[in-house]
Amino acid sequence: MGAFFCIGRLWGIMGVGEEIGRCTWLKSEKGIQAESGRRASAHGKRLIIYRGAALMGAAMLISKALGTLQKIPLQNIAGDRVFGIYNAVYPLYQLLLALVTAGFPVAISILVAEQEVHGARGGSNRILRASALLLFGYGVVCFVLMWSGADVIASWIGDTEAAQAVRMSALALWVVPVMAALRGYYQGRGEMLPSAVSQLSEQTVRVAGMLALLALGWHYGWADAELAAGANAGSAIGGAAGLAVIVGIWARERARDGREAFNGYEWKAVDVDKEKREAQSLGALMRRLALLAVPVTLGALAVPVLGAVDAFTVPRLLRAAGDGQAEAMALFGLYSRGQPLVQLVVMVAGAMGSALIPALAAARLRGDEAAVRQQAAIVMRAAWMIGAAAALGLAVLAEPINVMLYADDAGTRTFALVGCTALAGTVSALTAAVLQGLGAVRGPALFMLAAAALKAALNAALVPALGIAGSACAGIAALTAAALLGAGAVRRAAGAAMPARRAAGIVLALAVMAAVLVPAERGAASLLGSLPPRAAAAALALGGVALGGALFLAAVLRFGGITARELRALPGGGALAAKLQSLRLLPSGD
C-alpha cells in the first residue's frame, strides 16, 4: 500500500481534535519495530505498576498531611473566628468536589485502560475529551450556584460574613474538575508520575498561597471575613497550579508525539465513515463515565457530608442558644481545633489498612476462607488498637497539645472529646478498606450517611444545652454507631471475630498506658514550669506521645494483643516477628 500525503488531524487541548480530510496515519513497519523495541518485559511492567502505586500512595499521604496540618497555622495567624468560618465553608466545597474528584478519576482510568490494552490511543483521547467536557460543565454549574447563592449559603451556615469565603471557594471549581479528568487519564495509561506531581503541586501551592494571603491580610489589617476569604482562595490557587502542571506534561507529550510521528508513521487512507460509525459519541461516553463513577462517589461522600452537617447546624444552634454571630463562629473554630489531629490519625490508619487489603483480596479470589478470616481479623484488631491508643492519648494530652498547636488552652474539654472520635474514625476507615477488599463497597457509605443523619439529630438535641461539647459528644455517638455497623458487617462477611484473650490484651495495654501517662504528664508539667508556656506544652505533648505509644506497643505485644503467628501471616511480617522476639517484646514460644 503506497503512502501519500494529506492533511491529518489537529489535536486540541482535550486530547482529541477535529478530523480534516478523509485520511489518517497508521504505523509503518519501521514504527512498529521501534515501538516493539521499547516494550518492557512482564517483570519490568509489574515493577512499574508497584512503583506507580507506591508513588501515588506517597503523594496522597503527603498531600493529605499538608491539607490537614495547614489548618494549624491558619488558626495561629487569624484566630478562632476565621478558623471557624474556614471550617464551616470548606466542607461544602469539599462535598461538591468529592462528586467529581473521587469517582470520576477511577471511572476514567478504567475506560482508558480498556482502550490502551487494545492500543486504541484515539479511544483514550475521546474518553479524555468526554470526561473533561463533562467535569468542566459540572464545575461551571457548581461555581454559578455557589457564587450566586453565597449569601444564602452564609445564612444557612449562621454567619452572613462567610459569603466572601464561599465565593472564593467557588473559584476552584473552574479548574479542579478538569484536573481530575487528566489525572484519571494518566492513571488509566499506567503513568502515575503526572498525577503525583500534580497532586503535590496543588497542595503545596495551596498552602503557600493561603499563608501568603493571610500574611498580606494581617499586614494590611483585613477584617475576619476578608481573612477567611483569603484562606479559602488558596484552593483556587492550588488547583490552578496543579492543573497547569499536568496540562504542561500533557502538552509536552503531544509535542513529542508529533515530532516522532514523521519518523515512525506513514500516512494511510482509511474508511473514515466506518471509523465514525464505530466511535462512541461523547454523550454515550459521558453516561458510561457517570454510571461507573457513582458507586465510588457514594463512598467518598460520607465524610464530607458529616463535615457539612456540623457546618450547617452547629453555628446556627449556637446562635439560637443566645450567642452572637461572631461569638458562635469563634466557638465553632474552637470546636474544630481537634479535628486536624483526628483526621491525621485516621488517614495514617487508612493508609496502613490499604496496604494490607491486596493480600485480603487475593485470598478471597483464591477461595481461601481461612486466610480471609485471619487477614480480616488482624486488620480489624489493628483498627481497634490504633484507634483506642490514639483516642486515649489525645484525651489525656489534650491540654498540652492544644497549647502547643494553638497557643492557649481554650476549649480543651471539647478538644479531648473530639480526640475520642479517633477510635471510631479509625475503625470506620479500616472496616471500609476490609469491606472493599471483600467486594462490598456500598456498606461503608451507607453506614457513614446514617451516622451523618444521627449526628444532625444529636446536634439538635445536645448543642443548645451543652454548646460545642454537645456537638463533640454527638460526634462520638454517631461515629461509634457507624464503626459498630462496619465491624458487624466485616464479621458477617469474613467471619472475623476478636478472641477474648486478644481483647483482654488490648484493654490491659490501654490500662498500662493510662496508668503511666497520666501521672507522668502531671509530674513533668511541674518540672517544666520555668519554660515559656508553649515550649513547655510542646515538650509535654511530644514526650507524652512518644512515651504513650511506646508503652502501649510494648504492653499489647506482651499481653497477647497480637501474636507472632499472626504477624507472619502479613506481607513481610516474618522478619518483623523475628525482630520483636529478639527484643523480647513477643514471647519466644509464640
Side-chain angles (χ1 to χ4, degrees):
M1 297 176 64
F4 59 92
F5 291 98
C6 71
I7 298 176
R9 299 181 179 183
L10 297 177
W11 296 84
I13 194 168
M14 297 306 179
V16 175
E18 296 299 328
E19 185 176 30
I20 300 178
R22 300 179 61 79
C23 303
T24 186
W25 55 32
L26 297 176
K27 293 180 184 177
S28 67
E29 183 178 353
K30 180 180 178 181
I32 293 173
Q33 291 173 351
E35 183 178 354
S36 299
R38 293 191 297 265
R39 290 176 182 170
S41 65
H43 178 67
K45 289 180 180 178
R46 285 195 297 269
L47 287 177
I48 291 171
I49 292 171
Y50 295 152
R51 288 171 183 168
L55 181 65
M56 281 300 296
M60 186 175 295
L61 278 175
I62 294 171
S63 63
K64 284 189 175 181
L66 284 172
T68 298
L69 297 179
Q70 54 93 21
K71 295 180 180 180
I72 295 169
L74 167 61
Q75 188 277 340
N76 287 192
I77 295 171
D80 286 317
R81 182 162 186 250
V82 174
F83 191 50
I85 294 174
Y86 178 87
N87 281 287
V89 172
Y90 189 72
L92 174 61
Y93 161 76
Q94 192 178 33
L95 180 63
L96 293 175
L97 210 58
L99 290 169
V100 292
T101 58
F104 275 94
V106 176
I108 294 164
S109 67
I110 290 171
L111 295 186
V112 169
E114 290 177 355
Q115 298 296 320
E116 293 292 315
V117 166
H118 297 96
R121 180 57 57 87
S124 297
N125 290 332
R126 281 193 297 275
I127 292 165
L128 174 59
R129 185 182 186 186
S131 60
L133 289 173
L134 175 63
L135 298 188
F136 178 75
Y138 170 85
V140 170
V141 170
C142 289
F143 166 80
V144 170
L145 292 175
M146 283 189 73
W147 188 274
S148 61
D151 293 324
V152 176
I153 294 170
S155 67
W156 290 347
I157 290 172
D159 191 329
T160 56
E161 294 187 4
Q164 294 182 59
V166 174
R167 291 191 177 96
M168 290 301 101
S169 294
L171 292 175
L173 293 168
W174 282 101
V175 292
V176 177
V178 177
M179 180 171 58
L182 283 161
R183 287 177 180 174
Y185 169 73
Y186 276 109
Q187 290 167 25
R189 290 174 52 182
E191 300 175 19
M192 302 302 175
L193 184 61
S195 292
V197 173
S198 172
Q199 196 170 46
L200 291 176
S201 301
E202 177 194 4
Q203 285 292 359
T204 303
V205 175
R206 173 174 172 259
V207 174
M210 183 197 75
L211 293 178
L213 288 172
L214 286 175
L216 184 67
W218 186 260
H219 177 74
Y220 286 103
W222 290 358
D224 286 347
E226 294 168 330
L227 287 171
N232 286 96
S235 298
I237 297 171
L243 179 61
V245 167
I246 201 164
V247 167
I249 293 171
W250 177 88
R252 185 176 62 180
E253 177 186 278
R254 301 303 301 170
R256 183 194 64 211
D257 290 347
R259 289 192 301 269
E260 292 178 351
F262 294 99
N263 296 324
Y265 292 84
E266 294 177 356
W267 293 103
K268 304 283 186 180
V270 298
D271 186 347
V272 177
D273 291 332
K274 180 180 178 181
E275 186 180 77
K276 287 182 177 180
R277 288 194 300 271
E278 293 176 349
Q280 288 180 291
S281 70
L282 291 181
L285 281 173
M286 290 178 183
R287 287 192 294 272
R288 190 177 177 197
L289 282 167
L291 290 174
L292 284 173
V294 166
V296 180
T297 301
L298 287 176
L301 284 179
V303 174
V305 164
L306 206 60
V309 166
D310 276 338
F312 287 117
T313 58
V314 176
R316 291 175 61 84
L317 290 168
L318 291 172
R319 289 194 64 186
D323 293 313
Q325 177 173 286
E327 184 181 5
M329 195 54 71
L331 287 171
F332 188 69
L334 286 177
Y335 167 72
S336 302
R337 284 187 175 191
Q339 291 175 351
L341 291 182
V342 172
Q343 291 168 359
L344 190 62
V345 170
V346 173
M347 179 190 71
V348 172
M352 293 172 61
S354 297
L356 300 174
I357 294 312
L360 176 64
R364 180 176 68 88
L365 292 174
R366 292 195 308 268
D368 190 346
E369 295 183 2
V372 168
R373 185 165 54 251
Q374 184 180 41
Q375 296 278 358
I378 292 173
V379 174
M380 291 307 303
R381 201 178 316 151
W384 289 106
M385 288 191 296
I386 295 170
L392 179 60
L394 288 173
V396 171
L397 300 172
E399 184 173 350
I401 293 175
N402 197 11
V403 176
M404 176 184 72
L405 297 179
Y406 302 109
D408 59 51
D409 62 353
T412 292
R413 181 182 65 167
T414 301
F415 190 103
L417 290 171
V418 170
C420 291
T421 61
L423 172 57
T426 301
V427 173
S428 293
L430 288 182
T431 54
V434 171
L435 289 173
Q436 183 180 21
L438 295 173
V441 296
R442 296 181 181 178
L446 295 176
F447 300 152
M448 290 301 293
L449 291 175
L454 180 59
K455 181 71 163 66
L458 291 175
N459 276 352
L462 298 178
V463 171
L466 302 176
I468 55 176
S471 183
C473 292
I476 294 173
L479 286 171
T480 299
L484 292 175
L485 287 171
V490 170
R491 182 170 183 173
R492 290 191 299 272
M498 186 183 301
R501 180 186 172 188
R502 307 287 180 257
I506 296 173
V507 172
L508 286 172
L510 291 170
V512 169
M513 178 182 170
V516 176
L517 193 57
V518 172
E521 188 267 338
R522 293 177 180 175
S526 61
L527 294 174
L528 298 172
S530 60
L531 293 176
R534 204 165 188 182
L540 281 173
L542 297 177
V545 169
L547 176 62
L551 283 171
F552 178 78
L553 178 60
V556 82
L557 290 171
R558 290 302 303 177
F559 292 143
I562 190 167
T563 67
R565 178 180 298 175
E566 290 168 334
L567 283 177
R568 294 189 192 101
L570 300 176
L576 177 61
K579 182 65 175 178
L580 292 173
Q581 285 182 329
S582 68
L583 296 173
R584 297 187 178 181
L585 291 174
L586 275 175
S588 58
D590 190 3

